[in-house]
């Protein structure tokens, strides 16, 4: 959320789902707003790829966007923070307060979640307690389950590697 908690304006004409943008309707059964279950796949995919923006309250259909908004964002935000801090649902919370904010599109309030890329030590970022079934990567505008070999590589790269330390008093000649 922004420090002033005032929504920030976003231009819908510039929106296009891509490797770094995902839009979710997030209306819920009552139309007041709820976290979509597949949002966590996008969270995992962005974290394991290069980061990205999730907009809640924006419907995308065949490249056309319509802003529905989130009439009651407070319960949705509480649920977001509860889930992202639940290790049984999400392996690591990468979000800070600055990454989640209210924004305005066409006069309606949406929630913008800027998911950062996870550091090497935190990858793979996975959901539902299982890295082999819950790890996703972002390919163009879709979230894809990560292949087992890629997951194993990420797990192996979590360990401190010997070639990432700088040795003093050595030069390129050595």
């Amino acid at each position: 959320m922004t420090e002033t908690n005032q929504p920030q304006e976003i231009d819908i004409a510039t929106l296009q789902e891509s490797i770094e943008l995902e839009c979710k309707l997030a209306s819920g059964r009552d139309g007041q707003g709820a976290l979509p279950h597949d949002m966590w796949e996008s969270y995992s995919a962005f974290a394991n790829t290069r980061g990205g923006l999730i907009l809640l309250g924006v419907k995308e259909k065949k490249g056309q966007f319509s802003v529905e908004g989130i009439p009651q964002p407070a319960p949705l935000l509480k649920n977001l923070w509860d889930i992202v801090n639940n290790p049984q649902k999400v392996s690591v919370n990468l979000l800070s307060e600055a990454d989640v904010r209210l924004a305005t599109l066409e006069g309606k309030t949406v929630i913008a979640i800027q998911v950062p890329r996870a550091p090497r030590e935190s990858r793979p970022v996975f959901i539902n307690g299982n890295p082999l079934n819950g790890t996703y990567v972002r390919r163009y505008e879709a979230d894809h389950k990560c292949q087992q070999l890629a997951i194993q590589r990420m797990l192996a790269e979590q360990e401190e590697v010997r070639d990432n330390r700088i040795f003093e008093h050595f030069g390129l000649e050595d």
Side-chain angles (χ1 to χ4, degrees):
M1 300 265 267
T2 60
E3 296 240 277
T4 62
N5 205 17
Q6 296 298 313
Q8 297 178 354
E9 191 70 35
I10 295 175
D11 183 9
I12 194 165
T14 64
L15 288 183
Q16 179 180 353
E17 281 199 351
S18 66
I19 194 165
E20 295 175 331
L21 177 68
E22 178 70 26
C23 295
K24 303 282 187 190
L25 179 57
S27 63
R29 291 182 184 175
D30 62 0
Q32 296 301 303
L35 285 177
H37 297 291
D38 64 347
M39 187 201 88
W40 299 108
E41 295 171 5
S42 297
Y43 175 86
S44 169
F46 284 144
N48 290 321
T49 311
R50 62 183 194 202
L53 178 65
I54 300 172
L55 290 177
L56 301 179
V58 178
K59 181 179 177 182
E60 186 271 336
K61 188 170 184 175
K62 298 182 180 179
Q64 299 295 324
F65 294 92
S66 62
V67 180
E68 303 297 321
I70 306 289
Q72 301 286 328
L76 193 146
L77 289 169
K78 181 187 179 329
N79 195 21
L80 169 79
W81 289 112
D82 288 346
I83 292 174
V84 80
N85 285 301
N86 179 352
Q88 293 176 336
K89 181 60 180 178
V90 181
S91 63
V92 62
N93 175 11
L94 299 170
L95 300 177
S96 70
E97 291 289 328
D99 295 322
V100 180
R101 62 184 173 88
L102 297 178
T104 300
L105 280 174
E106 296 183 347
K108 297 178 183 174
T109 301
V110 298
I111 297 174
I113 305 166
Q114 185 64 53
V115 180
R117 181 175 191 218
R120 176 184 51 82
E121 298 84 10
S122 297
R123 285 191 305 264
V125 174
F126 55 91
I127 59 174
N128 301 325
N130 187 337
L132 296 179
N133 290 327
T135 300
Y136 291 82
V137 292
R138 189 76 174 178
R139 300 282 184 249
Y140 186 55
E141 63 180 41
D143 305 320
H144 294 274
K145 278 198 173 192
C146 197
Q147 294 182 359
Q148 186 171 354
L149 186 59
I151 296 167
Q152 291 171 337
R153 188 175 311 118
M154 284 188 249
L155 289 167
E157 289 174 355
Q158 284 181 346
E159 301 298 320
E160 183 179 345
V161 289
R162 294 180 184 161
D163 64 351
N164 70 351
R165 289 182 288 155
I166 298 174
F167 291 102
E168 294 181 25
H169 311 297
F170 287 90
L172 291 177
E173 306 81 37
D174 299 313

